[in-house]
Amino acid sequence: MKEINKGKNKSKHIIMKTIWLIYGVISILIICVAINRVLCTEYEQVRQNIELLGNWDVQINEKNYPNILLEEFHFQTAAKGDKISMETVLPKNWKIKNPVLRVYTVQSAIKVFIDNKKIYTYGSERIEAGKSVGTGYLFVDFSKEYEGEKLRIELDVNEEEAFSKLNAPRLYEWSNVYRDIATENRIPLLLGSFLLVLGMIFTLVTVCALVISKKYIKFLCVSLFSITIGLWTLCYYNVVMIYSVPIYTTSLIEYIAFFLAPIPITIYMYDQAASIRIKYSRQIYVVILVTEVLFVFSAILLHTFDIVHCSVTLKYIQIMIVGLIIYFAIIAIMGLKGKNESDRLYLIGILEIMVCVGYDLIAYNIERYYGYHLLDIKGFSAIGFTIYVVILIGIFYMNVTEKIMKEAEQANLFKQAYFDELTQLHNRRYCMEEMQRIGENKEEDVIIICFDVNNLKTVNDNLGHTKGDFLIKTAAQIIDKTFREAGITGRIGGDEFIGIIRLKQEKIKKMLEDFERNITEKNKEIDDFKISIAYGYALVGEIEDRNIERVYQLADKRMYEKKKRMKEKRG
């Protein structure tokens, strides 16, 4: 019957978890749809632009490509020092009143000419200083007077293997250019902002929580990972440019965030890596983590001093990240042997990250080296990372909840094993073990007090066992109130109690006077009977070999002597 009930409870638990999961997914979808509607207000108006795709004459170093359609044109990957010139005739009769030319540049300095007159330049001084120029959108002030005139754009490539395709410039209304970036990249904007804010809030909370317990270190790792991925998402999709952040700064933040992101997750994986049954698993993990940290910080340091820029080391970081994902997947699969729910959940997270990151890495490298687009999906990795962060938070919550439940269970078992159910004082087992510890450690200034509650049998016989239990509990309260701050009090059986007190000899008499006074005050509150407690005490120093058992026997003997005197006195 018990097994049937257990099975029913388990099924009910699974059903409730499923309902909450469905509710959470539906809520997120509704919120996302609502936010999407807000961002896409006047979408068609915002996205109105003139894309300059065709009729380009392109020159790469000394090689000419006449009448090119940029959408279909790709070439051997541009190298550092390559000179690229692209020229076309601007259309006539623009409907744009206050035009701006949006140009996408990839690790290149740029100059813009109208009929051989230079109207804009960017990056040349940075290249001369050996600095990175970054990747992103540049906005060139335009005029209606440029209609039908010749537009020439010159690129000076600053990094190896920079790109193999030219992006078509676009003419926008000034008021719409930043709104278009936000609208076009609304998924990365939403998810990147969510991850960044979530990570910052959780980091502040977790840093405070770490003062209380180190168990929150994993949550700190998730928070830092969320910050790095949030920053990377906002920079990679150029969303931060709506705040007028320079493209070289945007690119630098993007690289640093991307390079640092694997470190907190690798630290998060320590417990899983250490628990798998592979020889030298801990050593392998340490080597991977140290190599990762050294490589990442070396790349950032080299970029800082303009020795080797991050764009050059990016492909090596990508290889490292792929290796880490495979390593994490292996750990997660091996963790499934324990049939732990959090391990299965983590494996799901790793698999979806492999799909999302794998897609973006493949798409990025195909576009960079071969000039082809796979699919025009914005924020694929951002979606994957958001799901992954939510899974990590869920796993952390499950682990913490499980740990709290185990601690509560252990505390309950400890209470059952070492506390008396009726009085809530320590029981005989605990008191005997405590005396054994005192004896083994040869502690001094310890006093053993034995107590015996008088007239328990009389109360039980005349007033009933309920009153007898009340007598025992009341006596326990008086003993505990008097002696608990000086040591340990416990019930060792029936009407017998003990006090293990760490106190100087000269102070015990004052405490016993307080004890007698507490009994008298309590008796004023009780009408049915009067509480009477016999006691006797002995000091460790009274026994020559300091044998704690003999100290206890001496205290017990003195207690019975006092009990006898109290009985004789009552007559």
Side-chain angles (χ1 to χ4, degrees):
M1 188 69 182
K2 189 181 288 186
E3 292 296 325
I4 293 173
N5 290 333
K6 187 175 180 181
K8 287 181 178 178
N9 290 335
K10 187 174 182 180
S11 299
K12 186 178 179 181
H13 183 64
I14 293 171
I15 291 170
M16 289 302 298
K17 285 174 69 175
T18 305
I19 291 172
W20 276 109
L21 179 62
I22 294 171
Y23 171 77
V25 171
I26 292 173
S27 300
I28 292 171
L29 288 174
I30 292 172
I31 292 170
C32 288
V33 169
I35 295 174
N36 185 64
R37 286 178 180 174
V38 172
L39 288 176
C40 291
T41 303
E42 301 177 346
Y43 179 76
E44 294 301 324
Q45 179 182 341
V46 169
R47 294 234 61 197
Q48 286 181 3
N49 62 82
I50 300 173
E51 188 174 16
L52 306 177
L53 272 175
N55 301 316
W56 286 92
D57 294 328
V58 177
Q59 182 178 7
I60 301 177
N61 296 325
E62 302 299 325
K63 195 169 183 179
N64 295 310
Y65 301 89
N67 198 24
I68 290 298
L69 181 65
L70 293 182
E71 191 175 32
E72 300 174 354
F73 179 63
H74 54 88
F75 46 89
Q76 185 177 354
T77 311
K80 185 176 183 178
D82 282 353
K83 308 289 184 181
I84 299 175
S85 174
M86 45 193 298
E87 189 174 286
T88 190
V89 176
L90 291 169
K92 296 180 180 181
N93 300 320
W94 299 344
K95 294 181 180 180
I96 301 172
K97 295 180 180 179
N98 300 300
V100 60
L101 183 70
R102 192 184 80 175
V103 184
Y104 188 75
T105 178
V106 180
Q107 300 296 340
S108 303
I110 186 171
K111 295 176 183 176
V112 180
F113 298 84
I114 295 292
D115 281 350
N116 296 321
K117 179 183 177 182
K118 185 165 63 177
I119 63 169
Y120 181 84
T121 182
Y122 165 78
S124 298
E125 293 180 358
R126 292 187 64 84
I127 289 179
E128 290 174 4
K131 298 182 179 296
S132 172
V133 292
T135 297
Y137 294 115
L138 295 170
F139 305 106
V140 183
D141 281 323
F142 245 48
S143 170
K144 288 280 288 181
E145 297 176 359
Y146 297 159
E147 290 180 340
E149 296 191 1
K150 188 183 295 182
L151 167 68
R152 185 171 82 253
I153 300 173
E154 295 181 356
L155 302 174
D156 187 0
V157 183
N158 190 41
E159 303 291 354
E160 297 293 339
E161 301 178 329
F163 55 90
S164 58
K165 182 178 179 64
L166 296 170
N167 289 276
R170 294 184 181 187
L171 285 168
Y172 280 91
E173 188 73 45
W174 245 120
S175 59
N176 291 337
V177 65
Y178 289 112
R179 292 171 66 190
D180 180 61
I181 293 175
T183 305
E184 183 181 3
N185 298 284
R186 57 191 179 278
I187 293 177
L189 171 61
L190 284 172
L191 298 180
S193 301
F194 168 76
L195 290 170
L196 181 60
V197 174
L198 181 76
M200 292 173 67
I201 293 172
F202 280 178
T203 297
L204 291 173
V205 173
T206 309
V207 167
C208 297
L210 281 172
V211 177
I212 303 171
S213 173
K214 291 183 179 179
K215 67 184 178 183
Y216 294 102
I217 189 70
K218 278 195 168 187
F219 206 60
L220 179 62
C221 292
V222 176
S223 303
L224 294 175
F225 177 73
S226 183
I227 290 173
T228 54
I229 292 302
L231 280 172
W232 173 79
T233 301
L234 294 174
C235 293
Y236 179 73
Y237 292 99
N238 297 291
V239 179
V240 295
M241 297 198 73
I242 64 178
Y243 302 108
S244 300
V245 179
I247 65 171
Y248 54 83
T249 303
T250 301
S251 293
L252 179 60
I253 296 172
E254 173 195 335
Y255 287 129
I256 291 176
F258 186 69
F259 287 13
L260 290 176
I263 295 177
I265 288 302
T266 306
I267 297 172
Y268 178 95
M269 287 295 296
Y270 173 75
D271 289 339
Q272 289 91 328
S275 64
I276 61 174
R277 295 180 179 179
I278 295 180
K279 192 176 182 180
Y280 305 120
S281 60
R282 290 175 184 267
Q283 290 83 345
I284 293 170
Y285 170 86
V286 170
V287 170
I288 289 173
L289 178 60
V290 171
T291 303
E292 177 186 337
V293 171
L294 289 176
F295 188 82
V296 167
F297 281 97
S298 296
I300 294 173
L301 196 65
L302 290 171
H303 182 95
T304 303
F305 290 99
D306 296 312
I307 299 172
V308 178
H309 293 149
C310 286
S311 58
V312 177
T313 56
L314 177 62
K315 58 184 176 183
Y316 304 110
I317 296 291
Q318 290 176 344
I319 294 170
M320 183 186 72
I321 289 174
V322 171
L324 283 172
I325 292 174
I326 294 172
Y327 173 65
F328 294 159
I330 292 171
I331 291 174
I333 291 169
M334 295 192 69
L336 288 178
K337 294 179 180 179
K339 297 181 179 179
N340 191 310
E341 187 175 351
S342 63
D343 290 333
R344 289 194 292 270
L345 193 59
Y346 184 78
L347 179 59
I348 292 172
I350 285 292
L351 292 176
E352 64 90 16
I353 277 290
M354 290 178 72
V355 172
C356 295
V357 173
Y359 164 79
D360 267 1
L361 286 178
I362 292 170
Y364 171 82
N365 285 286
I366 287 177
E367 183 176 357
R368 178 174 178 176
Y369 296 107
Y370 301 101
Y372 293 105
H373 286 288
L374 285 183
L375 292 171
D376 192 19
I377 300 177
K378 295 287 185 178
F380 206 73
S381 285
I383 295 170
F385 283 128
T386 303
I387 295 172
Y388 185 58
V389 167
V390 171
I391 287 175
L392 291 180
I393 293 171
I395 291 172
F396 176 81
Y397 172 78
M398 289 167 60
N399 291 339
V400 170
T401 303
E402 184 180 354
K403 190 172 182 180
I404 290 172
M405 290 176 66
K406 284 183 178 179
E407 289 176 353
E409 185 179 353
Q410 289 174 355
N412 186 49
L413 291 173
F414 179 83
K415 189 173 182 179
Q416 291 177 2
Y418 289 108
F419 283 82
D420 177 63
E421 186 176 356
L422 179 62
T423 64
Q424 298 303 307
L425 298 183
H426 291 293
N427 59 15
R428 182 182 184 86
R429 177 190 294 177
Y430 185 88
C431 293
M432 294 301 107
E433 289 181 6
E434 181 65 17
M435 285 199 296
Q436 185 179 350
R437 283 192 289 270
I438 292 170
E440 290 172 354
N441 296 332
K442 304 296 182 184
E443 291 186 36
E444 299 181 1
D445 295 327
V446 175
I447 301 170
I448 303 295
I449 309 175
C450 291
F451 304 90
D452 188 278
V453 180
N454 296 321
N455 304 320
L456 176 61
K457 186 176 184 307
T458 303
V459 173
N460 281 332
D461 291 344
N462 297 332
L463 301 175
H465 286 279
T466 301
K467 288 293 184 180
D469 288 346
F470 178 73
L471 171 59
I472 292 296
K473 287 193 286 186
T474 305
Q477 291 170 4
I478 296 170
I479 293 169
D480 191 47
K481 177 183 177 181
T482 308
F483 298 101
R484 66 185 168 197
E485 293 185 2
I488 293 168
T489 57
R491 183 187 182 198
I492 57 176
D495 54 3
E496 296 181 9
F497 294 84
I498 190 172
I500 303 171
I501 311 301
R502 289 173 172 82
L503 203 64
K504 298 288 185 181
Q505 180 179 356
E506 57 268 19
K507 293 184 179 181
I508 189 63
K509 289 184 178 180
K510 171 65 170 60
M511 189 164 284
L512 289 172
E513 289 173 2
D514 293 340
F515 178 59
E516 295 280 8
R517 185 166 50 254
N518 289 336
I519 293 174
T520 302
E521 290 176 358
K522 180 58 71 173
N523 277 328
K524 293 177 181 178
E525 303 172 8
I526 302 172
D527 298 326
D528 298 337
F529 53 81
K530 296 300 179 184
I531 297 172
S532 175
I533 305 173
Y535 60 86
Y537 69 91
L539 289 72
V540 169
E542 291 185 71
I543 305 301
E544 188 174 346
D545 60 358
R546 300 182 182 277
N547 185 296
I548 195 67
E549 181 64 28
R550 291 177 63 191
V551 176
Y552 170 71
Q553 290 172 0
L554 179 58
D556 191 57
K557 179 182 176 182
R558 290 172 176 172
M559 181 270 292
Y560 275 107
E561 289 174 354
K562 184 174 181 66
K563 187 177 182 72
K564 184 178 178 182
R565 291 195 300 271
M566 293 173 74
K567 189 175 182 180
E568 291 172 352
K569 187 176 180 180
R570 288 196 303 269

